[in-house]
Amino acid sequence: MTSALPFDDFRNLLANLPPADEAAEARVRTLFARADKPAGSLGRIEDIAAWLAAWSGRAPPAVNRPLVAIFAGNHGVTRHGISPRTVAATANAVELCAAGGAAINQVCIANDLGLKVFDLALHIATADITEDAALDERGCAATMAFGMEAIAGGADLICLGDLGVGNSTVAAALCAASFGGSGADWVGPGSGADAAMQARKADIVDAALAFHGAALKDPLEALRRVGGREFAAIAGAIIAARMQKIPVLLDGFAATAAAAVLHAANPTVLDHCLLASLSPEPGQRLAAERLGLSPLLDLGVSHGEGVGAALAAGLVKAAALTSSGMAAAVKV
């Protein structure tokens, strides 16, 4: 008799990802080509509309139930003084979102987006990644499954964001595990770290890489060992969206790092994702380049909360309406 390991289902999903609807994509591109306008004059708007069609199966595409999903987690590694904010700031940010007073609430109102914020056991920080795995395999797999379930409910565009004090250091560790390099290659100011704190962040990443060693070559092992709950939930949401044919907008360094883990497991896993925006965090820019992701927006937003993805969602909605409106005007 054999017993399945917690990650086995995810490994199977990653090995059997559904493809794009190439016919739907072609229909959208044909509609733009036949429209009464100069060829390619709408630039990337045409590409966004075609991408929506490819990953939703609808041509012309539509965005009727967009959702911003924010996953919040806390990290034991913060005990090393890697953030100018206290761990309590994560829960405070979640409460502000719940009260409607956060920046993301206002952007969601402006762009008519749904919003869900998930508290991932904020009262229990993950283990310190310099001396233990952040999560055990069962806990990591359960959190990935939670991320999959969190996007259920009929959304047709998912915007993924994060909250978590210290998670820029964790994101740097995941990127180093996925792409190589040292802590100094991937860390940045995060929420306002000075030069001394950034050096400490780099040392912490290096310590974590050394402690976990060759185990980090396995992407899902890297996710549980040097990741965290919000990273695992975002990874699960990305996989679920692919299986359910829902296009995804990624926002922030944490979401990009979670995406990098999945990309290491299967380079086609992010084809249904677009990068919403780039923060000033140098590690995110470098990771985006390695992943071949070009941001829709580059406004210098480092706020977190999925704000960049919510802003980009307005652009995606406009692309869908442009496609459908122009399609209606095309003479058959």
Side-chain angles (χ1 to χ4, degrees):
M1 295 180 63
T2 60
S3 58
L5 296 173
F7 281 150
D8 285 352
D9 287 342
F10 295 102
R11 297 188 197 282
N12 183 59
L13 290 174
L14 288 167
N16 296 280
L17 298 170
D21 188 330
E22 295 180 356
E25 178 181 2
R27 286 196 296 274
V28 168
R29 294 197 181 277
T30 298
L31 286 168
F32 277 123
R34 294 172 60 189
D36 186 13
K37 67 174 185 63
S41 62
L42 285 170
R44 201 170 175 193
I45 292 297
E46 299 183 24
D47 295 332
I48 294 170
W51 166 80
L52 274 172
W55 292 107
S56 68
R58 292 184 289 183
V63 178
N64 298 316
R65 297 190 63 187
L67 173 68
V68 177
I70 303 172
F71 298 98
N74 275 326
H75 303 272
V77 74
T78 56
R79 72 185 183 89
H80 295 287
I82 55 170
S83 175
R85 297 187 300 161
T86 66
V87 173
T90 307
N92 293 340
V94 169
E95 291 173 4
L96 186 60
C97 290
I104 186 61
N105 298 100
Q106 320 322 317
V107 180
C108 286
I109 292 169
N111 287 329
D112 194 20
L113 312 174
L115 174 63
K116 294 181 180 179
V117 183
F118 300 96
D119 171 341
L120 301 175
L122 293 182
H123 61 293
I124 306 174
T126 56
D128 179 353
I129 61 174
T130 65
E131 59 185 32
D132 199 356
L135 298 163
D136 61 24
E137 183 171 342
R138 185 178 299 278
C140 186
T143 308
M144 292 176 73
F146 178 85
M148 298 183 79
E149 295 170 2
I151 66 167
D156 53 16
L157 177 69
I158 299 293
C159 305
L160 295 175
D162 68 276
L163 285 168
V165 172
N167 72 8
S168 67
T169 300
V170 174
L174 276 176
C175 285
S178 299
F179 299 117
S182 67
D185 298 318
W186 294 101
V187 301
S191 58
D194 60 18
M197 186 172 284
Q198 288 185 56
R200 189 154 59 247
K201 290 170 68 171
D203 290 342
I204 290 300
V205 171
D206 290 338
L209 297 175
F211 179 82
H212 296 284
L216 300 179
K217 292 181 180 180
D218 181 305
L220 294 184
E221 278 293 302
L223 180 63
R224 82 169 185 88
R225 287 173 175 271
V226 298
R229 292 188 182 92
E230 69 269 48
F231 296 86
I234 289 170
I238 291 172
I239 295 171
R242 178 62 167 267
M243 306 310 293
Q244 297 173 33
K245 293 189 175 297
I246 308 173
V248 170
L249 293 177
L250 303 173
D251 180 64
F253 193 17
T256 305
V261 170
L262 298 180
H263 183 269
N266 183 339
T268 71
V269 71
L270 303 181
D271 289 354
H272 67 303
C273 302
L274 291 182
L275 181 61
S277 67
L278 279 178
S279 72
E281 195 73 6
Q284 191 201 3
R285 188 174 295 272
L286 180 57
E289 292 172 356
R290 298 287 183 90
L291 295 170
L293 295 174
S294 179
L296 298 181
L297 302 172
D298 193 353
L299 302 176
V301 174
S302 60
H303 188 68
E305 299 177 358
V307 166
L311 289 167
L315 184 61
V316 174
K317 291 176 70 176
L321 286 169
T322 301
S323 174
S324 58
M326 296 187 76
V330 169
K331 294 182 174 64
V332 179

